[in-house]
Amino acid sequence: MDPDKVLIAGGGIGGLAAALALAQKGIPSLVLEKASKLGEIGAGIQLGPNAFHCFDRLGVGESARGMAVYIDSLRLMDAIADGEITHIDLGDKFRARFGNPYAVVHRGDLHGVLLKACQDHSLIDLRTQAQVDGYDQDGKGVAARLGTGETVRGRALIGADGLWSLVRRQVVGDIPPRVSGHTTYRSVIPLEQMPEDLRWNAATLWAGPKCHIVHYPLSGWKVFNLVVTYHNHAPEPVAGKPVPVEEVRKGFTHVCERAQNIIRHGKDWHMWVLCDRDPIDQWVDGRVALLGDAAHPMMQYMAQGACMAMEDAVCLADSLSSYESLETGLTAYKDRRVQRTARVQLMSRAMGDHVYHPDGPRAALRNTLMNAKSQDQWLDTLDWLYGGNGLD
Ligand SMILES: Cc1cc2nc3c(=O)[nH]c(=O)nc-3n(C[C@H](O)[C@H](O)[C@H](O)COP(=O)(O)OP(=O)(O)OC[C@H]3O[C@@H](n4cnc5c(N)ncnc54)[C@H](O)[C@@H]3O)c2cc1C
């Protein structure tokens, strides 16, 4: 195995983006993915303009733009009163301000675009059934220990192995992720089954006490992505368990009829109990660094986990190519990324409490404050996030 390669544990959106970003700078890599096949589960994902800034730097701008649905607005509905609280217009003014659009894509399509670009690049090797259990390092390189007992050598190791990262376990030595107690159920509805009066070209959020519903069109308007969340204090992490619609409906009996009706149309529901972590700045151990959910797992309430992973990738490659010493480059990468990702981690949690799930006077206050904002004020509010590409 080429010892000059950067090893990347994990072939999710973060790991593949890292391989592409490094390749753009002429740095070869080997992606080690534990699954037997490279792919993504779940349906939709929202992408802010900052994701599109990254696509261009990863060399996939055109193909990424081709698979997206360009929605007109982000719409916030009151799930009790059945009325709009506010919306953010994603039209020309938004695009001009941030230099790129806001879009929704199928996760599989996004992963597929990144995978194809990796497969086509001579500097990237991909290997499946290669779980990275840990690593050893010396002044010359890193040896990743695989589940098979084999070791693979490289010049650096990037832990892009997600929420339950084994690389992180060794870098940080910390406790398991925090279980949020929020249970998310995901489904996809064929367009013709989506209630006609709700076929909006928007990412719509119905916010109710301790629950919310998100829907948006996907895959060239063939389907609607439906994600509903109930803060039921679930005690244990769960990932992708099939559940009957009756179980999903239990958490939404208190919301308006129109919102309840959306859930009735969902099929093949799967459930996740969401986890995140507090921000840390211990992302680097010598020649080893963390990226994406391995570094900063967050609640999905700012729709930024994958966007941040791609920004990490761009910044990692930029930092490594800017310094002679690998260790200095990794430390520079971490220093450039920690505050921005910590802000998104903490704000995502706060959004859950103050925007997605409040009740009574707190919900009324949310409505008043959010309704009072003009479109220009919304753009100012979002400038720090969508205006950046993670390099500053
Ligand atoms: C309900 C929900 C909605 C979301 N919506 C959005 C959204 O709208 N916009 C957005 O930007 N983000 C969103 N996110 C967040 C986003 O999905 C994640 O942040 C993103 O996928 C993280 O990518 P990653 O590559 O870091 O980790 P992962 O996607 O977890 O990938 C990790 C990869 O590593 C592999 N792996 C794991 N352990 C090992 C090991 N030891 N060795 C080798 N391989 C290993 C895994 O099989 C996997 O392929 C959402 C998340 C959820 C839960």
Side-chain angles (χ1 to χ4, degrees):
M1 200 55 67
D2 183 351
D4 286 323
K5 283 191 173 153
V6 171
L7 307 176
I8 299 170
I13 291 167
L16 296 187
L20 286 173
L22 292 170
Q24 293 288 318
K25 299 285 184 185
I27 303 172
S29 65
L30 167 63
V31 177
L32 299 162
E33 164 58 47
K34 78 170 178 185
S36 56
K37 200 166 172 268
L38 285 152
E40 266 281 330
I41 51 165
I45 197 162
Q46 301 183 48
L47 298 172
N50 56 324
F52 287 87
H53 306 328
C54 293
F55 289 140
D56 288 329
R57 287 176 176 267
L58 299 176
V60 296
E62 203 179 315
S63 38
R65 282 182 178 81
M67 70 185 169
V69 171
Y70 297 97
I71 49 176
D72 296 333
S73 65
L74 301 174
R75 194 164 195 189
L76 178 62
M77 303 289 293
D78 187 322
I80 298 297
D82 190 357
E84 182 178 287
I85 299 166
T86 188
H87 71 270
I88 300 172
D89 194 334
L90 303 175
D92 292 344
K93 208 165 175 186
F94 179 96
R95 290 181 185 207
R97 172 74 176 259
F98 300 124
N100 259 313
Y102 193 105
V104 291
V105 298
H106 197 287
R107 272 169 189 272
D109 294 344
L110 170 58
H111 190 270
V113 162
L114 299 176
L115 181 59
K116 166 108 184 33
C118 286
Q119 285 165 336
D120 289 348
H121 209 297
S122 60
L123 290 177
I124 301 173
D125 283 326
L126 302 161
R127 191 168 153 186
T128 52
Q129 291 183 302
Q131 171 166 311
V132 176
D133 283 345
Y135 60 85
D136 300 295
Q137 60 178 316
D138 54 31
K140 294 196 196 114
V142 189
R145 277 184 267 113
L146 303 192
T148 53
E150 188 190 342
T151 56
V152 180
R153 284 196 67 84
R155 61 193 283 230
L157 170 65
I158 306 304
D161 48 345
L163 177 67
W164 299 97
S165 166
L166 296 180
V167 177
R168 178 182 173 121
R169 195 170 67 182
Q170 191 169 341
V171 170
V172 184
D174 61 356
I175 54 171
R178 181 191 74 109
V179 181
S180 68
H182 297 203
T183 301
T184 281
Y185 307 89
R186 286 152 142 179
S187 174
V188 169
I189 310 182
L191 172 68
E192 56 281 5
Q193 284 169 33
M194 183 71 178
E196 227 166 307
D197 61 330
L198 296 177
R199 291 180 198 170
W200 299 329
N201 191 25
T204 304
L205 162 64
W206 297 78
K210 292 186 106 167
C211 73
H212 71 269
I213 298 170
V214 172
H215 55 80
Y216 47 81
L218 211 54
S219 303
W221 270 84
K222 289 191 194 74
V223 295
F224 264 80
N225 189 54
L226 188 51
V227 182
V228 308
T229 301
Y230 176 29
H231 186 179
N232 59 350
H233 306 277
E236 300 203 333
V238 175
K241 184 179 147 201
V243 287
V245 65
E246 293 72 33
E247 178 171 336
V248 185
R249 288 179 61 189
K250 264 192 233 159
F252 297 86
T253 51
H254 57 306
V255 302
C256 66
E257 179 53 30
R258 215 153 56 125
Q260 289 198 38
N261 194 29
I262 308 167
I263 297 174
R264 283 188 203 113
H265 289 81
K267 289 206 173 58
D268 299 328
W269 288 96
H270 287 73
M271 155 188 162
W272 281 257
V273 174
L274 304 170
C275 298
D276 70 356
R277 286 184 185 273
D278 286 329
I280 55 161
D281 56 10
Q282 199 184 336
W283 292 18
V284 177
D285 171 22
R287 290 172 171 267
V288 182
L290 304 175
L291 180 146
D293 276 7
H296 44 68
M298 56 186 67
M299 304 293 284
Q300 76 267 30
Y301 300 151
M302 289 185 75
Q304 278 287 322
C307 300
M308 287 294 125
M310 290 190 286
E311 285 193 1
D312 287 350
V314 167
C315 182
L316 172 75
D318 189 68
S319 301
L320 285 186
S321 63
S322 302
Y323 293 91
E324 285 272 306
S325 141
L326 186 114
E327 285 89 340
T328 311
L330 291 181
T331 302
Y333 151 69
K334 181 264 295 180
D335 288 343
R336 292 164 83 186
R337 294 297 300 154
V338 163
Q339 280 199 19
R340 180 164 167 87
T341 53
R343 187 169 178 182
V344 184
Q345 272 176 296
L346 296 175
M347 278 191 70
S348 296
R349 266 189 207 168
M351 292 266 289
D353 292 340
H354 300 295
V355 178
Y356 284 63
H357 292 165
D359 192 7
R362 292 173 71 229
L365 178 62
R366 169 201 63 200
N367 292 3
T368 303
L369 293 178
M370 296 190 82
N371 181 259
K373 277 201 186 204
S374 68
Q375 289 300 315
D376 283 340
Q377 285 171 326
W378 277 120
L379 298 190
D380 290 344
T381 302
L382 293 166
D383 192 59
W384 71 274
L385 181 60
Y386 297 153
N389 59 12
L391 288 176
D392 311 320

